[in-house]
């Protein structure tokens, strides 16, 4: 429905707020980049990857208990994840002092093997793993500020002392 918070207008609204605050003039805007299967597999299982990719052929379908997908959902999820990874790489290589990825669909509810809460891939968890494995970070802090708890991100690192997950909801 038009009133649901997870809809395309959400991204446009965020950009409008950034522009009104004068931040878009000070930012480098980068295009979207699709993640690879191997990048998604830093956190997710192969079965999960295949389940998300299968939505491309199925058209509008239900995936998981509460999420619907269409033929474009898998590519949108790959672009959201890849864009977050691109921003992460740029910061870790010193090409940017900080970054933000305004993407959708969201990601923090996606579990290792489960689509949930409109989240297909947990791109923050994937980025944290990429930072550790490709850039040698020994510790990572994830601050999740959202109206809902990011169960997928918490569960990805629940037994991992090298990643501290904090949720403000």
């Amino acid at each position: 429905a038009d009133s649901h918070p997870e809809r395309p207008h959400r991204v446009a609204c965020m950009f409008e707020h950034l522009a009104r605050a004068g931040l878009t003039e000070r930012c480098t805007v980068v295009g979207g980049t699709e993640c690879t299967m191997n990048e998604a597999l830093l956190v997710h299982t192969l079965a999960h990857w295949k389940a998300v990719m299968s939505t491309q052929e199925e058209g509008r379908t239900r995936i998981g208990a509460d999420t619907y997908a269409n033929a474009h959902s898998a590519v949108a999820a790959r672009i959201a994840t890849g864009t977050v990874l691109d921003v992460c790489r740029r910061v870790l290589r010193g090409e940017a002092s900080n970054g933000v990825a305004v993407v959708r669909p969201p990601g923090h509810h996606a579990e290792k093997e489960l689509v949930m809460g409109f989240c297909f891939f947990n791109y923050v968890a994937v980025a944290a793993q990429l930072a550790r494995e490709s850039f040698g970070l020994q510790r990572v802090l994830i601050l999740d500020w959202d109206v809902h708890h990011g169960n997928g991100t918490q569960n990805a690192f629940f037994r991992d002392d090298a990643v501290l997950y904090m949720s403000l909801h």
Side-chain angles (χ1 to χ4, degrees):
D2 287 341
S3 63
H4 194 280
E6 178 42 42
R7 63 185 194 277
H9 180 68
R10 178 174 67 85
V11 170
C13 190
M14 283 189 273
F15 270 107
E16 289 170 13
H17 286 289
L18 292 170
R20 279 197 301 272
L23 294 174
T24 54
E25 299 166 5
R26 298 172 29 205
C27 295
T28 301
V29 177
V30 297
T33 304
E34 289 189 38
C35 75
T36 66
M37 179 182 72
N38 286 337
E39 289 169 335
L41 294 181
L42 290 171
V43 170
H44 297 285
T45 65
L46 182 58
H48 180 82
W49 172 267
K50 288 179 178 180
V52 173
M53 293 309 107
S54 73
T55 64
Q56 295 175 119
E57 289 86 41
E58 296 176 15
R60 189 170 193 270
T61 186
R62 188 175 189 152
I63 182 169
D66 59 1
T67 302
Y68 286 89
N70 63 36
H72 307 287
S73 297
V75 72
R78 288 193 311 266
I79 290 172
T81 303
T83 301
V84 169
L85 297 179
D86 182 35
V87 170
C88 181
R89 284 185 181 103
R90 289 171 188 262
V91 170
L92 292 173
R93 287 191 302 242
E95 297 169 14
S97 58
N98 54 57
V100 62
V102 180
V103 296
R104 66 177 298 266
H108 71 166
H109 294 302
E111 299 273 355
K112 182 176 184 172
E113 298 183 306
L114 185 65
V115 170
M116 183 184 292
F118 314 107
C119 303
F120 295 87
F121 296 126
N122 194 320
Y123 43 74
V124 169
V126 174
Q129 275 302 101
L130 176 93
R132 294 170 69 197
E133 293 183 18
S134 297
F135 291 88
L137 270 67
Q138 294 181 13
R139 295 185 298 170
V140 175
L141 167 66
I142 298 172
L143 177 60
D144 185 348
W145 191 339
D146 189 87
V147 69
H148 299 107
H149 174 67
N151 57 289
T153 310
Q154 177 184 348
N155 290 337
F157 300 108
F158 190 74
R159 297 194 185 333
D160 188 339
D161 291 341
V163 178
L164 176 61
Y165 172 75
M166 297 171 58
S167 177
L168 302 179
H169 58 282

